[in-house]
């Protein structure tokens, strides 16, 4: 029964940060449990531009969604099964969350997580966050930027992380190494240097190891002391934690692990025959995302081939002057992104580009829940995309309609217009708002940003799963540190927010000097 000071479930974006930082102390032992293999010496993972080939492959958990009556029921919610997690699987678009994003968290009960408190953590990140390099700035993307500035009266942003913004268009900041297109993922930045140097003998990385249940007991029956895991060979073991278990498995697998351990809504667990250890109704609730749809154009022949990852630029607009931060975003794809339109009968052009209207502050709130007591059975994901509010208004759907109209304005403006041959999807004949809405909702997809399913909140928040110190309410010996604790969704791509969360989590977890003195003082526990 191997024992460590800290056992971390999930070697992904936050888990890599926390494992690396905790292991800086040579006097503690850290076990990092990762369900997938290493990313080292895997060019299909480490080469950023190869990201599309990872979706739906052997390194993807491939979660699906339940039926979405007003949306797309065929979305594949890719979750990475490899060291580095989704930072080894995604486009590495790197936005520091806006001050309004962090302040929204604090207002929602996440005391100590406001913008002023969180700002220093961006400077602690080890990732190589840089603007898309000049050699990777495709000519059509630059022309798109120039057209958007003209058509939508937007400023060009050179360095989205340099200062807060509400509107703007430009090349993204990415976590990558432009000289060879190598990822600067959480694993590359935080784990690889120590794996290669062998200078962290106290850090034990357990690859292709699946955590399926927490060990919960103690005198009160509420103390988490370890994690049950299964190795690639099928052998099952209990890893015990002398100090804490840290769950960093993400917005799907963190609530999944809790529920299979008997932590969740009592009625749901009882219905499946799972013994209830701790009734915590917020587990799996508040599932949030950044849904988006697409408009596709055929180009008049091929476009230049240079790119960092084929979606190197984007824009933000603020439609509502009362809104905090942007309320509509676009990614610009230098490829015809037609997976969902093809399912609706549209054909993929040989050469093309796309804009993807994205909802920064979606009002959809779904849930992750179990359908079986068998841990091998994947949970159900119901995002409740495009459900109208109590007044019958579909804010998310309207945001996409507004996005299509703005995208068409950009397409009519030079110098972008000269590249375009025709609009493929939804098609120039589709001009009625209801018709646009119907098509773009059916062709909607995800940007793979599920969050919020173990949300952080105040003591009087009945559905808060963790407190502002990331401790699971009603349990001891366990914290959660990943996107599942997001109370609300940042307006921007959330990866940097997860990395910053990991850095702050270390400050919350690591004993202070006062704590250390207390445990070694007379009468303390050495």
């Amino acid at each position: 029964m191997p024992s460590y000071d800290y056992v971390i479930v999930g070697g992904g974006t936050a888990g890599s940060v926390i494992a690396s930082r905790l292991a800086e102390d040579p006097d503690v032992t850290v076990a990092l449990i990762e369900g997938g293999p290493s990313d080292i010496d895997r060019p299909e993972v480490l080469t950023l531009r190869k990201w599309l080939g990872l979706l739906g492959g052997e390194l993807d958990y491939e979660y699906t969604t339940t039926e979405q009556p007003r949306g797309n029921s065929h979305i594949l919610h890719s979750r990475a099964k490899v060291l580095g997690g989704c930072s080894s699987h995604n486009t590495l678009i790197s936005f520091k969350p806006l001050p309004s994003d962090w302040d929204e968290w604090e207002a929602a009960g996440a005391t100590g997580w406001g913008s002023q408190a969180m700002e220093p953590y961006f400077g602690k990140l080890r990732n190589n966050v840089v603007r898309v390099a000049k050699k990777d700035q495709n000519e059509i993307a630059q022309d798109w930027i120039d057209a958007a500035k003209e058509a939508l009266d937007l400023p060009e942003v050179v360095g989205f992380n340099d200062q807060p913004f509400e509107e703007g268009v430009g090349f993204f900041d990415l976590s990558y190494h432009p000289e060879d297109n190598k990822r600067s993922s959480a694993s590359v930045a935080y784990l690889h240097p120590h794996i290669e140097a062998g200078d962290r003998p106290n850090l034990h990385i357990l690859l292709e190891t699946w955590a399926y249940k927490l060990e919960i007991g103690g005198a009160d029956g509420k103390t988490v002391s370890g994690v049950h895991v299964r190795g690639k060979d099928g052998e099952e073991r209990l890893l015990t934690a002398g100090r804490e278990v840290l769950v960093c498995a993400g917005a799907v697998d963190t609530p999944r692990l809790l529920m299979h351990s008997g932590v969740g809504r009592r009625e749901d667990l009882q219905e499946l025959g799972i013994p209830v250890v701790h009734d915590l109704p917020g587990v799996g609730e508040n599932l949030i995302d950044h849904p988006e749809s697409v408009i596709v154009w055929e180009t008049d022949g091929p476009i230049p081939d240079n790119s960092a990852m084929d979606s190197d630029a984007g824009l933000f607009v603020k439609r509502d002057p009362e809104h905090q931060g942007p309320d509509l975003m676009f990614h610009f794809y230098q490829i015809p992104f037609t997976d969902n339109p093809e399912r609706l009968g549209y054909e993929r052009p040989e050469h093309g580009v796309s804009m993807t209207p994205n909802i920064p502050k979606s009002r959809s709130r779904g849930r992750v829940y179990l359908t079986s007591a068998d841990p091998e059975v994947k949970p159900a994901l119901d995002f409740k995309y495009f459900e109208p509010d109590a007044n019958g208004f579909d804010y998310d759907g309207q945001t996409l309609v507004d996005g299509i109209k703005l995208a068409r304005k950009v397409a009519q403006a030079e110098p972008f217009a000269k590249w375009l041959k025709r609009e493929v999807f939804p098609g120039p004949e589709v001009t009625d708002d209801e018709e646009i809405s119907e098509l773009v909702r059916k062709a909607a997809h995800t940007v793979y940003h599920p969050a919020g399913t173990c949300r952080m909140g105040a003591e009087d928040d009945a559905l808060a799963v963790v407190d502002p110190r990331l401790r699971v309410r009603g349990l001891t010996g366990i914290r959660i540190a990943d996107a599942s604790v997001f109370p609300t969704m940042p307006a921007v791509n959330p990866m940097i927010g997860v990395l910053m969360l990991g850095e702050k989590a270390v400050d919350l977890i690591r004993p202070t000097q006062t704590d250390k003195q207390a445990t070694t003082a007379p009468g303390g526990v050495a």
Side-chain angles (χ1 to χ4, degrees):
M1 192 165 64
S3 183
Y4 307 88
D5 291 305
Y6 298 101
V7 175
I8 302 170
V9 180
T13 307
S16 296
V17 174
I18 294 169
S20 179
R21 291 297 193 191
L22 290 178
E24 290 173 350
D25 182 349
D27 294 329
V28 304
T29 53
V30 179
L32 179 64
I33 303 166
E34 169 52 44
S38 174
D39 58 334
I40 293 175
D41 296 327
R42 296 195 69 145
E44 77 277 21
V45 174
L46 295 175
T47 305
L48 176 56
R49 202 174 180 188
K50 294 180 182 289
W51 71 275
L52 267 171
L54 298 172
L55 304 183
E58 62 170 325
L59 303 180
D60 189 344
Y61 283 108
E62 294 187 285
Y63 292 116
T64 54
T65 186
T66 61
E67 184 178 354
Q68 301 295 293
R70 285 181 50 81
N72 177 4
S73 303
H74 306 273
I75 297 174
L76 182 70
H77 285 271
S78 292
R79 299 283 86 198
K81 188 179 182 180
V82 63
L83 193 64
C86 289
S87 71
S88 291
H89 213 257
N90 63 13
T91 57
L92 291 176
I93 296 170
S94 298
F95 288 103
K96 177 170 61 173
L98 299 171
S100 54
D101 293 325
W102 294 123
D103 291 341
E104 186 177 57
W105 283 24
E106 188 145 50
T111 305
W113 292 81
S115 56
Q116 189 171 353
M118 292 306 297
E119 179 64 26
Y121 289 104
F122 182 72
K124 290 187 174 185
L125 300 185
R126 292 182 178 176
N127 309 74
N128 193 51
V129 180
V130 293
R131 190 170 186 248
V132 170
K134 200 72 179 174
K135 70 180 180 63
D136 293 330
Q137 294 181 13
N138 196 297
E139 183 183 352
I140 193 171
Q142 182 61 63
D143 284 352
W144 175 80
I145 290 168
D146 292 340
K149 288 162 56 180
E150 176 68 26
L152 306 181
D153 191 26
L154 294 175
E156 182 170 356
V157 178
V158 180
F160 276 102
N161 290 312
D162 292 351
Q163 59 187 16
F165 63 90
E166 292 192 312
E167 294 191 306
V169 60
F171 285 102
F172 291 133
D173 286 9
L174 307 177
S175 293
Y176 84 129
H177 297 277
E179 63 274 12
D180 57 4
N181 198 242
K182 182 180 178 181
R183 289 180 178 274
S184 181
S185 63
S187 52
V188 169
Y190 282 87
L191 297 177
H192 287 200
H194 305 298
I195 294 172
E196 292 162 3
D199 60 357
R200 295 278 169 85
N202 58 331
L203 174 58
H204 305 265
I205 301 175
L206 310 176
L207 297 169
E208 298 181 88
T209 302
W210 183 51
Y212 62 91
K213 188 178 180 182
L214 299 169
E215 177 71 9
I216 309 176
D220 60 356
K222 303 285 187 179
T223 299
V224 179
S225 58
V227 183
H228 294 269
V229 301
R230 183 180 301 132
K232 186 180 180 182
D233 58 3
E235 180 188 358
E236 296 184 352
R237 295 184 293 164
L238 171 62
L239 309 181
T240 62
R243 296 189 183 182
E244 286 189 88
V245 170
L246 311 168
V247 183
C248 308
V252 177
D253 283 303
T254 286
R256 176 190 191 179
L257 177 62
L258 264 62
M259 288 185 283
H260 278 298
S261 304
V263 180
R265 186 185 300 276
R266 177 183 297 277
E267 296 81 2
D268 294 347
L269 299 177
Q270 288 176 333
E271 187 177 332
L272 295 173
I274 298 173
V276 179
V277 175
H278 182 48
D279 182 16
L280 195 57
V283 174
E285 299 296 323
N286 192 48
L287 175 60
I288 49 180
D289 192 17
H290 277 148
E292 69 177 24
S293 194
V294 67
I295 177 169
V296 182
W297 294 277
E298 181 179 12
T299 54
D300 193 12
I303 64 175
D305 187 53
N306 61 307
S307 179
M309 51 78 182
D310 295 313
S311 177
D312 300 330
L315 70 81
F316 293 84
V317 296
K318 179 174 177 173
R319 297 166 300 159
D320 178 2
E322 301 300 315
H323 191 272
Q324 292 294 307
D327 59 11
L328 176 60
M329 183 221 183
F330 294 86
H331 299 80
F332 175 65
Y333 281 87
Q334 294 151 213
I335 54 174
F337 194 60
T338 56
D339 291 10
N340 290 308
E342 285 178 61
R343 187 176 43 77
L344 300 176
Y346 289 79
E347 291 186 5
R348 177 186 176 92
E350 183 179 2
H351 306 291
V353 294
S354 316
M355 282 176 68
T356 54
N358 178 286
I359 308 158
K361 295 288 186 180
S362 168
R363 295 185 183 175
S364 300
R365 293 293 182 274
R367 62 189 290 250
V368 173
Y369 60 95
L370 302 183
T371 61
S372 169
D374 182 356
E376 298 278 0
V377 176
K378 292 179 180 179
L381 279 62
D382 182 5
F383 285 86
K384 301 188 185 300
Y385 290 131
F386 308 112
E387 287 198 359
D389 62 20
N391 298 315
F393 178 58
D394 176 8
Y395 170 86
D396 288 10
Q398 186 60 52
T399 300
L400 296 186
V401 172
D402 292 349
I404 295 297
K405 293 177 177 179
L406 291 180
R408 285 172 169 168
K409 286 185 178 181
V410 177
Q412 293 167 0
E414 296 293 356
F416 181 52
K418 72 174 186 284
W419 294 87
L420 306 182
K421 184 176 181 180
R422 65 185 177 99
E423 181 184 314
V424 175
F425 178 84
E429 71 284 357
V430 181
T431 57
D432 177 73
D433 280 13
E434 286 191 19
E435 204 177 353
I436 294 172
S437 176
E438 178 77 11
L439 277 171
V440 296
R441 283 187 285 107
K442 285 182 176 178
H445 57 272
T446 179
V447 210
Y448 313 107
H449 297 164
T453 50
C454 292
R455 81 176 185 219
M456 186 186 340
E459 192 174 343
D460 61 356
D461 181 349
L463 293 181
V465 175
V466 300
D467 69 12
R469 295 186 65 82
L470 304 178
R471 298 171 299 195
V472 177
R473 292 172 55 175
L475 298 177
T476 57
I478 181 172
R479 297 186 211 229
I480 299 173
D482 57 31
S484 72
V485 306
F486 284 22
T488 59
M489 181 66 83
V492 294
N493 302 53
M495 184 191 70
I496 292 292
V498 177
L499 290 166
M500 292 170 68
L501 184 151
E503 288 280 7
K504 181 177 175 69
V506 173
D507 283 350
L508 298 174
I509 296 162
R510 206 157 28 193
T512 65
Q513 194 58 38
T514 303
D515 295 332
K516 291 178 180 177
Q517 289 169 352
T519 59
T520 55
V525 181

